[in-house]
Amino acid sequence: MTPSSRLIAIVPAAGVGSRAAGPSPDGSAPLPKQYRKIAGQPMLRHAVRALLAEERIDRVVVAVAPGDREAESALDGLARVACLPCGGATRAQTVTNALARCEAQADDWILVHDAARPGLPAITLRALIDACLHDEVGGLLALPVADTIKAQGGADPPRVGRTVARDGLWQAQTPQMFRAGLLRKALAHAEIRQLPVTDEASAVEALGLAPCLVPGTLSNFKVTWPEDFALMEKFLDRT
């Protein structure tokens, strides 16, 4: 890291997360899952606090949907946090908008982290940063695939089409860490070519680059289904 470069975390939190959304306080509409409480606090707050545990991170930028009424209270009192109403229709658009609004310099490091991953341990975050600071491309947290993987064949009912060899397969997590200049270029390239971007690493890969894989941890799983909240609460209770 050069003397002038910074570490800036971006948390895209503009989605609804309908698969795990809960009732809103006034019952008017589903509450986006990032605001559902785990261990007494909104999930988004846990995810942001996990990033703030790393002193090298200059600030955390939370990108929310325009008109969002929950983020300010969910993040109240947290230092080094900026909440920007710059969410787009997709994750890639939200990150692109946040990059523009946070005024990151090309050499700054950007760590993009899911709001639905509140179980990120400080030691794992530290390992990612230590590995990426000396890497020409950047990288991401990921876990080697342990289970046997089946590709679906028949659709009604679902049937196995084939077994996929798991050797060399990794399950991507976040944060994913890249220089701001590279990340802007990768996201713009993917948008122009209408490439599917499921995470930041996939956009960087589309440029012909190979991000490094840094071992993640089970507690850093993505809260996706309603039953995941109870499981995550057990992990958070241990910290």
Side-chain angles (χ1 to χ4, degrees), residues 22-126:
S24 64
D26 60 6
S28 59
L31 183 70
K33 71 176 181 180
Q34 60 265 33
Y35 301 124
R36 286 189 60 181
K37 290 187 177 181
I38 301 179
Q41 295 185 347
M43 178 162 62
L44 175 62
R45 187 178 182 90
H46 286 293
V48 170
R49 287 185 62 191
L51 294 166
L52 293 173
E54 174 53 63
E55 295 181 354
R56 288 175 291 181
I57 293 179
D58 182 73
R59 58 187 172 128
V60 179
V61 175
V62 181
V64 301
D68 184 297
R69 299 179 180 179
E70 302 290 338
E72 292 290 349
S73 59
L75 302 171
D76 184 54
L78 295 180
R80 294 158 42 213
V81 177
C83 187
L84 302 180
C86 62
T90 66
R91 175 194 178 94
Q93 291 173 1
T94 296
V95 174
T96 297
N97 294 345
L99 279 169
R101 291 283 299 275
C102 76
E103 300 179 345
Q105 301 300 308
D107 284 342
D108 289 338
W109 285 100
I110 304 296
L111 295 96
V112 184
H113 185 51
D114 294 331
R117 293 186 191 271
L120 172 66
I123 190 172
T124 307
L125 175 58
R126 190 179 312 125

Side-chain angles (χ1 to χ4, degrees), residues 188-215:
H189 172 266
E191 181 178 13
I192 291 172
R193 288 162 178 75
Q194 298 184 331
L195 302 175
V197 175
T198 55
D199 64 356
E200 292 66 45
S202 62
V204 171
E205 292 161 38
L207 293 177
L209 300 174
C212 69
L213 293 163
V214 180

